Amino acid sequence: IAQLSSILNHNVRPKIHTDTTKPFTILFDRFFFFQAEDGIRDAQESRGLGDVYKRQIYNDMIRDLLTNTPNNGHDASSSTNSKHHRIEHIGRVDTVVSNVRVIKVTQPSQIHAILNKAHSARAVASTKLNDRSSRSHCVFTMRIEGINNSINQRSLGNLCLVDLAGSERINDSGVTGAAMSEAININKSLSFLGDCIVSLGSAGHVVWGNCKLTQLLQNYLGGEGSKVLMMVMLSDKEVHTQETVNSLNFAKKVNQTRIGKAVKRVQHNI
C-alpha cells in the first residue's frame, strides 16, 4: 500500500440533492481494483485487511454513525450519542477515537453497505439553500494492513475520507433555532480548519485544539508522511456565485500549502 490519501470533500452545492456516499464508493472500488492489479489479493502471495469506522462531527461533538441506534444525527439524548469519545494521537502517524464501533472488512461490498448505513444516520435538514443540507462533517477512516508473503513484507496505512459540510450564510439559508446553532458550529470549524492549513503552509505553530474537526484531522493533515487531496464541488448557477467564490478561496488556501513527501510505512521480516 504505497500511499493512502486524506480527502477533504468541500461540498457547496445549494438546492441539489447529492448522494455523498457515491464518491467514496468509487474510490474504494478503484482501491480494490489496484490491489488486484498488484497481486495483493492473491491468497498464496499476500492478503489485505481493513478496519473501518465512521463518525460525524455534529455541533462540535463526535457521534458514531455505525451503531445500531437510528437517530439521524439529531438525538443528543440517546444512549449512543451520550457516550464520551476521546481523541488520542499515537505519535504523528495514527489517531484513535474511543467508544466507536470498528468493523473489519475484506471486500468492497462490505464498505458500500457500511457507507449506506452511516449515510442514513447522518444529520441533515432542509434550508432555503438546500433541500437536504448536511448539518455535520462526516469522517470515514479505514486502517489497512497489506501482507506480502513472497517478499516477507507488511505495509500499513490509514485512509481518511472527510465530507465537510458546506459553509453557510445564515441570512440566506434562513435557519433559526437548532439549525442556526448547527450552521454557526459548521462555519467556525471550517474557519479553524482553514487557520490550521495556513499555519501548516507557513511552518508556523498549528493550533489543532480549537474544535473536534481539527483535533481529529491533526495526524491526517500534519502527521508524518501523510498525503492530502482536497476535492471542491462547485455549482454552475449564477445565483450561487458567492458560494462558488468562497469555495475557490478555500481551495486556493489549501493549494498553497506544502506538507512534505508521503512516506510508505513498511515492516520487513514479519
Side-chain angles (χ1 to χ4, degrees), residues 27-256:
L27 287 167
F28 284 122
D29 284 342
R30 296 298 296 170
F31 170 73
F32 278 96
F33 169 77
F34 285 121
Q35 277 195 323
E37 289 288 294
D38 292 338
I40 294 179
R41 294 175 73 180
D42 185 342
Q44 293 183 348
E45 296 295 331
S46 54
R47 59 189 174 90
L49 300 173
D51 292 330
V52 304
Y53 53 97
K54 189 168 185 178
R55 297 83 70 210
Q56 67 175 341
I57 300 175
Y58 173 77
N59 277 347
D60 204 36
M61 296 181 294
I62 295 177
R63 296 186 177 179
D64 187 3
L65 291 176
L66 297 183
T67 59
N68 294 322
T69 304
N71 53 59
N72 196 34
H74 288 280
D75 185 6
S77 64
S78 73
S79 60
T80 297
N81 287 324
S82 64
K83 287 184 178 179
H84 175 68
H85 301 290
R86 183 168 54 89
I87 300 173
E88 179 183 355
H89 299 297
I90 303 173
R92 296 183 59 221
V93 297
D94 205 354
T95 298
V96 175
V97 180
S98 65
N99 294 320
V100 295
R101 184 184 179 195
V102 179
I103 302 175
K104 188 172 294 295
V105 298
T106 57
Q107 300 292 333
S109 59
Q110 294 173 283
I111 298 174
H112 295 181
I114 291 169
L115 289 173
N116 288 331
K117 175 182 175 64
H119 181 64
S120 65
R122 188 176 179 184
V124 295
S126 177
T127 72
K128 289 182 179 180
L129 293 177
N130 196 331
D131 293 336
R132 191 173 172 82
S133 171
S134 298
R135 312 311 293 168
S136 66
H137 306 301
C138 193
V139 182
F140 179 97
T141 303
M142 182 175 183
R143 287 196 184 88
I144 302 173
E145 172 187 337
I147 298 177
N148 192 319
N149 295 318
S150 64
I151 58 175
N152 202 28
Q153 178 177 292
R154 178 172 176 246
S155 299
L156 304 171
N158 291 323
L159 175 67
C160 181
L161 304 178
V162 184
D163 181 23
L164 296 175
S167 59
E168 185 172 316
R169 291 182 294 170
I170 294 174
N171 289 339
D172 294 337
S173 64
V175 294
T176 59
M180 179 182 290
S181 177
E182 293 165 354
I184 291 172
N185 277 289
I186 288 170
N187 291 340
K188 285 173 60 178
S189 60
L190 291 175
S191 177
F192 290 141
L193 177 60
D195 292 342
C196 289
I197 291 171
V198 169
S199 297
L200 281 171
S202 62
H205 175 65
V206 184
V207 181
W208 298 105
N210 281 334
C211 67
K212 288 294 190 296
L213 176 65
T214 52
Q215 288 179 45
L216 189 59
L217 298 184
Q218 177 175 337
N219 273 344
Y220 300 115
L221 293 175
E224 181 180 351
S226 60
K227 181 177 181 180
V228 180
L229 170 67
M230 188 184 86
M231 300 165 59
V232 180
M233 301 179 68
L234 305 172
S235 170
D236 58 356
K237 306 295 184 183
E238 185 176 355
V239 68
H240 302 142
T241 299
Q242 188 57 54
E243 284 80 7
T244 297
V245 171
N246 290 341
S247 296
L248 290 174
N249 284 334
F250 189 87
K252 180 181 179 181
K253 187 181 298 185
V254 174
N255 194 48
Q256 293 172 338

